[in-house]
Every structure is written in structure tokens, then in C-alpha cells.
Amino acid sequence: MKKDYKKLELDKILALLAETAYSDICKEKIVKIKPSFDIDEVIAENQRTSDAFTLSSKFGTPKFFNIKDICFSAKRAQQGSMLSLRELLDTELFLREVSGLCDWYSQCSGTSTALSEYFDGLCANKALESMIANAIVSEEEIADSASPRLAQIRRSIRRKSLEIRERLDKLIKSKDNQKYLQESLVTMRDGRFVVPVKTEYKNEISGLVHDTSATGSTLFIEPMSVVEANNDIRVLKSEEQNEIERIIRELSSLTGEFADSILTDFELVITLETYFAKANLGAKMKASSPKIEAKPCFTLINARHPLLDMQKAVPVSLELGTDYSSLIVTGPNTGGKTVTLKTAGLLVLMTMCGLMIPASENSIVGMFDEVYADIGDEQSIEQSLSTFSSHMTNIARILKNAGNSSLILLDELCSGTDPVEGSALAVSILDEFRKRDSKLIATTHYQEVKMYAIQTSGVENASCEFDIKTLRPTYRLTIGTPGKSNAFAISSKLGINQDIIENAKQLVSTENKRFEEVVAALENTRVELEKLKSSAAAEQRKSKQLTEELEKQKAQLEADKEKELQNVRSRAAAIIEEVRFEGDLLLEELDKLRKQKEQQDFSQKARGAHSKFNSAMNSMYNTANPVMQEKQEYYVLPRPLKIGDTVRLADLNKEGTLIRLPDAKNMCLVQVGPIKTKTKLENLRLVEAKQKSKKQLAPKVGKKLISNYTRKSGMELDIRGMMGDEGVMEVDRFIDSCLLSGISVITIIHGKGTGALRAAVQQYLRKNPHVKSFRDGAYGEGEAGVTVAELE
């Protein structure tokens, strides 16, 4: 890695990135990442990282294993070599990862990203994966299920071994043979079952001697009775080994057949793991992807150095290459100048590496052709380089290579030498970079450099804030004003005698004093402007919020208004239709009366028609005035009513004479002119002979709403003379039409007769879900000859 990048600590960022990866091979690839200065490649890399971040946020990070580099094994298998069990297990783990990635991406169906080409390029081989997983238990063992032949051989070996053990158990448990044995156990030598026999009794047990103990007191003899069985096991063991080799060779051959696909998948998997590692690092840093531009510039908003504690780091905002090409950062020591320098350079390099940066989403990073840095002390005794010499060596190298698209970062420019010569040389170097239009950030304490930035176009001052009261830096960067070094204040804080400091102040030239005073005045003005700006911004936010709330309220009121108007229009149309229908019925009734004028019962029918007329008029009155009546306060009668009292009906505002006291249902009969009407006691107001009694207010218990439904009589249907089923059908059709017209109270005239039609009608009303309640007609309404129903 170039030393410029190391000075900006890019190597540490790549080390952090490697820690978020899973496989060792991916970690090795990550630490070798180099910044790219090709705009198409940088845009593509940042888009892939951003898409990996989005996918991880929506569906979780896919699972990666610590896979091994299987490329060499795959190539060997392709050439016909037989792989080891370890190599086959590594291949199976890799194939499992490919299958897992394909399954994970299948849940992201319909999501097209810059990573789609990598996922689509993966070719899962679950058949080979399953074969290896079923065949190999560990790098030292093949499973019985690897092949039917291997399972059969191993069953035969176990069966033969069991037979031998049974024979030898009988031998060692025999009382005659126990005195010849060193121990009553069965063991193995050279893959054959033997028993330990004392040396002096070697001729007592016939068999083959395979081994002797270290002391020579024990011989390990294979009894002749098991020699043949041991020979069979030896043959079976040989067959087992041959079958194992055949299985491994077959799996190796299959791996070789798919070697090209495996090698392609390996590159894709490592690439995907790298992008998801970048996304995980971005999430850990709470970073975002900047906008990439072709112009060599950057605008970093609320940027943090990624190696600092993000809970303590103070974000900085700075830009370069748009309004000015050079930025001179000044301020006290430990004020954050070098951190600002490193933050700018490091975030640019991270963007060139396709990494997300810890800055706001609307940050911009342009394309530079190279990043140069002269930061830190590189003095060397071996190379006879002093601090100043090491800096000049670096600057000479930068001057040789830098152009108009280069980003140059210089810390403490030309320090470590005579201040007069150093400041002059610093101004000259800065002016050379300005003429080349190089993009430069430099830190300094020289007054001449601050003055150069004030007087030269394309060069801007910036300062790191310092709280003079607490004598501590705030680490905030301010563009546009130079900073003070505050050497005297810091020295005093650190314990330097005040007399020494006062004497030093006298030694400062008058010109420098005036410059410091101007800088101090500028700083005070800037602080005041910052306060005013913050206050104005707060008021603007408050005004904007209030405006938005008022707009929402206005929109809601308009919506409510339109809704109410629609409801009123609908109700008005229903009222008109209902009133028209009621009027038609009255006209029909009058026409019938005119035709029946000569009949004997004309007077009785006239009185009934008169009663119906009054009821219909009341119904039409209520229908035409559907809004609830005016709120009435509770009224308390000054004394109990008696027949003959003059009363006023509150709902009609008409006076009449009480002709019948309240009944069980609290209903009174009042005659208003020639009309007799029933009404509730609560609706009556006593009218004294000379003056009306004053309304008395009950205790504060609220107000009462009187609904028009208490007086509404509604429409009538005459079904007299019909059969039960026919009458019910007419009632059903009548109710449907009333529901469509919005009518709530109906009167069904069925007559008294035998009561069969009345029973059928009321049975139907009882089951109809649209009927809220029903009752027989009251006095003057037809009594048992009619049924009054209230609809839902």
C-alpha cells in the first residue's frame, strides 16, 4: 500500500473490513483492496455496496462459511487426481454455501439490484453436495451409506468379528484354559484377534504367535480355531479399502466434471462476501453512500473519522473544489486540524474503494486522479533526515506528480525551520499548487499563510474552534475565518508564569497584534451570526410546521364540508320523495271519500279520514323537518294538571285544552281547536289564565333532545280482504320501497275480522331484520285493525 494511504490510515479501515468477513480467503482479498480512480468502476462498486446494504436491511445478511480455497483441488480433480477426504469435505462446504446463497436470493424475488448478475451466475450443485455429505463422515472416515457394497462388507466384518469373539470368549472362560492365560481378555495384533498366554504354557494353546510383551512373559497367540475367520476378516478389510478408494475416486471424478462451474462459483461467492462485508461495516459505522461526481471535488456533511468513537467524535462539514480549490485550516494545537485533514482524505479513499462513509446521505465525493498526503514526522537518523527535511522530501515528490485533479493534504506546512523563511516558503508552495488548480487542504500556524488566504481568490480560510473560557477545543470546523493559535492562553493554563507571558506579548510586533485583533473581531462577529442563524432557522422551522398544520386542518374541513353537503343532499331528496308520496295518498283518500258521500256510514268514515288526515299531516310536518327539534330545557309543572287546564304543546308551540289526564303510558289527550291529539306529559306547558308561568330550570343536569320519531306516523298500506300469504307479500314489497325512500315508520291496515291476516302480518314483522319494533294502532289510529311498525 502506498505510504500516502497508510498515513491516512486506509490500512486500518481495510483491517476493520476484513474482520466483518467470514472466510480467510475473503479476508486476504479485502486487505489487498486498492482505491480506483475510474469513475465508472467507482460508481459501480458503490452501487453494489449500497444494494448489499439494502438487501441486508430487508432480508438479513446471507450466511457465509469459513470456506477454504478449493480452486487447486478442483483443478487436480479435473486432471484426474484423487482428492483427499479433507479436500472433498471442503468442496462439500463450499457447495453448501452456494446452495444457501441461491436459496437466500430466491426470497428476494422481484428485487433487481447491481448484485443480481452475481447471484444469477451461481450454479448450485445439490446432487454432488448431497453425495459428498452422505459419503464422508470426517476427514478420516467414510460412512456406511456411501455405497451398498461398502455397507455389505462392513456388516460381514462385524459378523465375522462377533463370531471370533464368541469363540475366544468360550476359550478364555474355560476353567481348563484360564491357568494358561496372563489375562482373561481378547485383544488384537496386526489386525487379528489373539489371547495373552503365559510364556511357559505356549504349547498348551495351539495357534500362531503374533507378538510378545516387553518383559517376554506374555505371548499373544491366535488360536487355530479362529485363524480361518481372521483370514476372512483380512480379506474383507482389503475389499473395504478397495471400495473406499472406488468411492473417493468416483467423488473426485464428479468434482472434476463440475470443476469449471465450481471455480466460477468460487469467484462469485468471494465477491459477494466482500460486498456484504462492506455493507456490514457501513451499518456498523452508521455510514451512507455518497453521490459520485466526475469533477474533482467533495462536499462532506456531518462527517466523522471512522476510527474515532462515534459517540464522542464531533462531526465536521467541509467542501473543496467548488467555490475554492485550497483550504487553509488554522487553530490551536490539539484543536482537531489533523483529524479534519485525515477525515477528508480517508473518506475520499474509502469512496474510491467502494465503501460507505460515515457522513450524511447528501454528501458528494468527486473523482480525483490521486491522493497525496504529508502528515506526521518521518525524520530518520539513518537517512540523515530532520523533521523539516522529511517534509520537504515528501512535498518535492508531490510537486513532481500532482496535477489539477489531485487531492493534496499537507499538515503543518513548512514547520520545523525558521518561521520567517518557513512562512515565505509555505506561501510560495501553496501558490504553486493554486496555479496548477490542485485541490489542497493545509494546516498551519503562520500568520502570513492566513493573510495569503484572505487576499487570494480560490483560497479560503477555515478554523478549528477554541473555547477561550474553558481553554478547550470544541473540534468544530468553521469555514471562512482564520483561527487563532491561542498559544499564550494555553501556556498560561499549563502553568507558565504570567510575567513571562506578558513579556512575550510585548515582544509580538504591532502588525501581528493588529492582525490578531482583526481575527478576534471576525470570530466574535461569526459567533453572533451563528446565533442569529440558528434562531432564524428555528423560527423558520416553527413557521413551516405551523403552516403545514393549518393546511392539514383546512384540507380536513373541506373534506368534512363536502361530506356533510352530500349527506344533506341525499336526505333532502329522500324527504321530498316521502312528502310527495304522503300527499298522493291523501289525495287518493279524499277522492275515495267524495265517491262514498251518499253511503250511510259516510259520517263515521269522514271522522276516521279526519283522524288519518291529522296523523298524516303531522307525519308530513316531521318529514319535512327531519332535523331534531330545538333543544328544550327540563320543565317542571308548577302544580298537577287537571281537566280543563289551558296548556301549550312545546313541540308545536300551540295552545289547547286538556281533556284527559295522563294514562299508564304518560300520554295525555289535548284538544287544539277542533283537533284532538295525544302527546306526552313532558311536552305540555301549563298556561295560567292571566300570564304564562315562567319556565323553571332543573338543577344542572344537561339538556334533552326530543326526537321527531315520537310523533311520526309514516305511510300506510291497506291489505284488507287479502289472504295471509298475499298480504305478507304486499307488506314485504312495501317495506322494501320504504327502506329505499328512507321512511322509518309505516302503518299496515289489515282490519280486525278473524285476526288471521293480523297474525300473519305480525308474525312476518317479528322475523324481518329491518323491523325495529311494531305495535297495534292506538285510539284514533284504528286500534287492533292496524299495525304500526318502526323500521331500522
Side-chain angles (χ1 to χ4, degrees):
M1 181 178 289
K2 289 182 61 176
K3 64 178 182 179
D4 297 276
Y5 304 162
K6 282 191 174 182
K7 288 178 181 177
L8 295 170
E9 301 176 301
L10 179 62
D11 56 329
K12 296 181 180 179
I13 297 300
L14 294 181
L16 287 177
L17 177 60
E19 290 178 5
T20 61
Y22 295 87
S23 63
D24 296 333
I25 188 70
C26 184
K27 292 179 180 179
E28 292 175 7
K29 179 181 178 181
I30 284 174
V31 296
K32 296 178 183 177
I33 291 177
K34 294 181 180 180
S36 171
F37 297 98
D38 178 81
I39 184 168
D40 294 331
E41 184 178 352
V42 171
I43 291 175
E45 285 293 302
N46 277 272
Q47 185 60 52
R48 292 178 188 123
T49 302
S50 178
D51 288 349
F53 180 84
T54 301
L55 288 173
S56 293
S57 301
K58 289 183 177 179
F59 308 104
T61 303
K63 185 173 181 59
F64 291 94
F65 300 101
N66 185 13
I67 59 174
K68 305 298 180 183
D69 189 350
I70 60 168
C71 296
F72 181 67
S73 301
K75 291 177 182 177
R76 283 181 55 240
Q78 193 175 32
Q79 294 170 359
S81 299
M82 190 169 71
L83 303 181
S84 67
L85 295 182
R86 180 69 268 168
E87 289 174 313
L88 288 172
L89 284 173
D90 290 342
T91 302
E92 185 271 332
L93 180 64
F94 169 72
L95 293 174
R96 195 194 319 165
E97 179 159 305
V98 173
S99 297
L101 287 174
C102 290
D103 292 341
W104 179 87
Y105 190 64
S106 66
Q107 71 174 335
C108 311
S109 58
T111 305
S112 179
T113 67
L115 298 177
S116 296
E117 57 177 311
Y118 297 101
F119 281 106
D120 293 340
L122 293 174
C123 183
N125 193 336
K126 294 190 177 183
L128 180 58
E129 174 195 346
S130 178
M131 288 180 65
I132 297 175
N134 292 332
I136 303 176
V137 177
S138 68
E139 57 183 299
E140 297 178 351
E141 183 181 359
I142 292 286
D144 292 354
S145 58
S147 75
R149 174 62 179 160
L150 181 61
Q152 180 185 359
I153 292 172
R154 287 181 172 175
R155 282 196 301 271
S156 299
I157 291 173
R158 287 192 291 270
R159 187 171 60 253
K160 286 288 183 182
S161 299
L162 184 60
E163 291 176 3
I164 293 173
R165 283 188 174 277
E166 288 177 353
R167 293 179 186 179
L168 294 180
D169 283 343
K170 290 179 181 180
L171 186 147
I172 63 177
K173 290 179 180 179
S174 172
K175 293 183 179 180
D176 296 334
N177 294 328
Q178 282 185 354
K179 60 182 178 180
Y180 307 135
L181 301 177
Q182 192 74 33
E183 293 180 82
S184 296
L185 57 82
V186 178
T187 185
M188 295 190 75
R189 287 294 185 274
D190 297 330
R192 303 178 76 88
F193 289 95
V194 296
V195 292
V197 180
K198 296 177 181 178
T199 303
E200 60 269 25
Y201 298 116
K202 64 179 180 179
N203 295 324
E204 299 299 328
I205 296 187
S206 62
L208 303 177
V209 177
H210 284 278
D211 199 4
T212 181
S213 65
T215 61
S217 61
T218 304
L219 297 176
F220 294 95
I221 298 176
E222 177 185 5
M224 293 304 295
S225 60
V226 297
V227 169
E228 189 64 29
N230 271 328
N231 289 340
D232 292 341
I233 290 177
R234 180 64 63 87
V235 172
L236 289 171
K237 287 284 188 183
S238 177
E239 292 178 2
E240 178 190 24
Q241 188 60 38
N242 291 337
E243 181 64 15
I244 289 174
E245 290 180 3
R246 186 196 67 78
I247 293 169
I248 295 175
R249 190 175 292 106
E250 181 182 356
L251 293 175
S252 300
S253 176
L254 286 172
T255 303
E257 290 180 14
F258 296 104
D260 291 336
S261 173
I262 290 174
L263 293 173
T264 301
D265 285 349
F266 185 80
E267 292 299 324
L268 293 175
V269 167
I270 295 301
T271 302
L272 286 170
E273 184 177 354
T274 301
Y275 287 126
F276 279 101
K278 291 179 178 180
N280 289 338
L281 180 64
K284 185 178 180 181
M285 290 182 175
K286 295 184 178 180
S288 61
S289 296
K291 180 182 178 182
I292 311 297
E293 289 192 356
K295 181 181 177 182
C297 64
F298 62 75
T299 301
L300 301 175
I301 303 172
N302 295 327
R304 294 177 285 102
H305 195 288
L307 297 178
L308 297 178
D309 184 352
M310 59 182 172
Q311 302 297 332
K312 298 179 181 179
V314 178
V316 296
S317 297
L318 69 159
E319 59 178 317
L320 187 69
T322 304
D323 297 328
Y324 46 85
S325 60
S326 299
L327 185 66
I328 308 302
V329 183
T330 54
N333 291 320
T334 70
K337 300 190 300 298
T338 304
V339 171
T340 300
L341 205 67
K342 286 186 174 183
T343 300
L346 181 56
L347 266 55
V348 169
L349 289 176
M350 288 174 66
T351 303
M352 302 301 119
C353 291
L355 292 169
M356 302 171 76
I357 61 174
S360 297
E361 291 183 357
N362 48 352
S363 296
I364 299 171
V365 175
M367 292 303 303
F368 298 92
D369 60 9
E370 190 52 273
V371 177
Y372 300 99
D374 178 50
I375 301 173
D377 188 0
E378 294 186 13
Q379 61 177 325
S380 172
I381 297 176
E382 293 82 359
Q383 299 179 14
S384 301
L385 289 176
S386 65
T387 299
F388 178 75
S389 300
S390 67
H391 283 302
M392 287 301 103
T393 302
N394 273 335
I395 291 173
R397 172 180 62 86
I398 297 171
L399 282 166
K400 182 179 179 181
N401 298 302
N404 63 348
S405 296
S406 301
L407 175 61
I408 303 166
L409 307 169
L410 305 176
D411 190 28
E412 300 293 349
L413 179 60
C414 294
S415 62
T417 188
D418 178 71
V420 176
E421 295 180 353
S423 59
L425 184 58
V427 170
S428 180
I429 292 171
L430 292 174
D431 200 53
E432 174 62 24
F433 284 127
R434 182 187 65 82
K435 291 176 182 177
R436 298 185 187 185
D437 198 26
S438 298
K439 309 305 177 283
L440 176 143
I441 304 178
T443 65
T444 185
H445 289 283
Y446 291 141
Q447 302 285 20
E448 291 78 6
V449 176
K450 299 178 187 177
M451 188 63 70
Y452 168 77
I454 293 174
Q455 296 173 345
T456 308
S457 76
V459 184
E460 187 62 82
N461 270 306
S463 61
C464 291
E465 283 187 355
F466 186 81
D467 192 337
I468 196 65
K469 296 180 180 179
T470 61
L471 296 179
R472 291 182 179 178
T474 64
Y475 302 107
R476 288 185 57 199
L477 184 71
T478 304
I479 307 294
T481 58
K484 296 175 63 178
S485 296
N486 293 298
F488 294 151
I490 295 174
S491 300
S492 176
K493 182 72 173 180
L494 296 175
I496 300 298
N497 190 285
Q498 192 62 32
D499 294 338
I500 297 175
I501 293 174
E502 291 297 329
N503 187 36
K505 289 181 180 179
Q506 297 298 323
L507 296 176
V508 176
S509 65
T510 303
E511 183 179 347
N512 283 339
K513 284 182 179 179
R514 285 201 300 270
F515 182 79
E516 289 293 334
E517 289 172 358
V518 170
V519 170
L522 285 173
E523 180 64 16
N524 291 334
T525 302
R526 185 195 63 78
V527 171
E528 291 297 326
L529 288 175
E530 284 287 336
K531 291 180 179 178
L532 291 174
K533 182 180 178 181
S534 299
S535 178
E539 290 297 328
Q540 185 179 11
R541 287 193 299 271
K542 185 177 178 181
S543 175
K544 183 179 179 181
Q545 183 179 2
L546 182 60
T547 302
E548 290 176 352
E549 290 178 356
L550 290 175
E551 288 292 336
K552 288 180 181 179
Q553 292 179 6
K554 179 181 177 182
Q556 185 62 40
L557 288 173
E558 289 291 336
D560 293 344
K561 173 185 173 183
E562 186 61 30
K563 183 178 180 181
E564 288 299 322
L565 285 174
Q566 187 64 30
N567 291 337
V568 168
R569 292 189 191 104
S570 300
R571 183 59 181 155
I575 290 170
I576 292 170
E577 191 64 28
E578 188 173 349
V579 171
R580 182 184 292 115
F581 191 72
E582 290 282 355
D584 291 342
L585 288 178
L586 288 175
L587 290 174
E588 289 179 6
E589 188 68 25
L590 289 174
D591 187 53
K592 288 180 182 179
L593 285 174
R594 282 195 299 270
K595 293 178 181 180
Q596 298 173 359
K597 183 175 181 182
E598 303 301 328
Q599 296 180 7
Q600 295 179 357
D601 57 348
F602 174 74
S603 298
Q604 182 178 355
K605 289 183 177 180
R607 286 194 296 273
H610 191 273
S611 176
K612 289 181 182 179
F613 174 79
N614 290 337
S615 178
M617 288 302 296
N618 287 336
S619 174
M620 292 173 65
Y621 175 80
N622 287 336
T623 303
N625 296 274
V627 182
M628 286 189 174
Q629 296 178 15
E630 184 181 355
K631 295 180 180 179
Q632 301 285 342
E633 294 178 343
Y634 280 121
Y635 173 78
V636 179
L637 290 167
R639 61 174 175 79
L641 295 177
K642 57 185 179 179
I643 295 175
D645 282 341
T646 301
V647 293
R648 179 169 56 84
L649 280 71
D651 55 352
L652 298 177
N653 199 25
K654 300 287 185 180
E655 292 187 1
T657 303
L658 181 65
I659 60 177
R660 192 177 71 188
L661 294 175
D663 57 12
K665 295 182 180 180
N666 213 28
M667 299 295 291
C668 301
L669 187 62
V670 178
Q671 182 163 356
V672 181
I675 300 172
K676 296 179 181 179
T677 182
K678 285 186 177 182
T679 185
K680 287 189 175 182
L681 179 64
E682 292 84 355
N683 191 37
L684 300 180
R685 304 290 183 267
L686 180 63
V687 179
E688 298 294 349
K690 294 183 179 179
Q691 63 179 17
K692 299 177 182 179
S693 61
K694 296 182 180 180
K695 296 180 181 178
Q696 299 179 10
L697 293 177
K700 296 181 179 179
V701 292
K703 296 184 177 181
K704 178 181 178 182
L705 291 175
I706 301 177
S707 172
N708 58 0
Y709 293 127
T710 59
R711 297 173 52 244
K712 189 170 184 179
S713 59
M715 295 180 57
E716 294 178 353
L717 172 66
D718 192 347
I719 59 174
R720 286 176 294 182
M722 297 183 182
M723 299 298 291
D725 293 341
E726 181 185 4
V728 168
M729 291 178 62
E730 287 296 324
V731 171
D732 183 67
R733 285 195 291 267
F734 181 63
I735 289 177
D736 287 344
S737 63
C738 290
L739 288 172
L740 292 174
S741 301
I743 298 171
S744 58
V745 178
I746 61 174
T747 301
I748 302 170
I749 305 172
H750 44 65
K752 297 180 181 179
T754 61
L757 183 58
R758 172 176 174 271
V761 169
Q762 294 191 355
Q763 180 66 21
Y764 165 77
L765 294 177
R766 189 174 290 109
K767 294 180 180 180
N768 192 313
H770 299 295
V771 176
K772 184 176 181 181
S773 64
F774 64 88
R775 61 177 175 80
D776 290 339
Y779 178 78
E781 292 181 329
E783 299 179 354
V786 302
T787 296
V788 180
E790 184 178 357
L791 305 181
E792 290 284 355

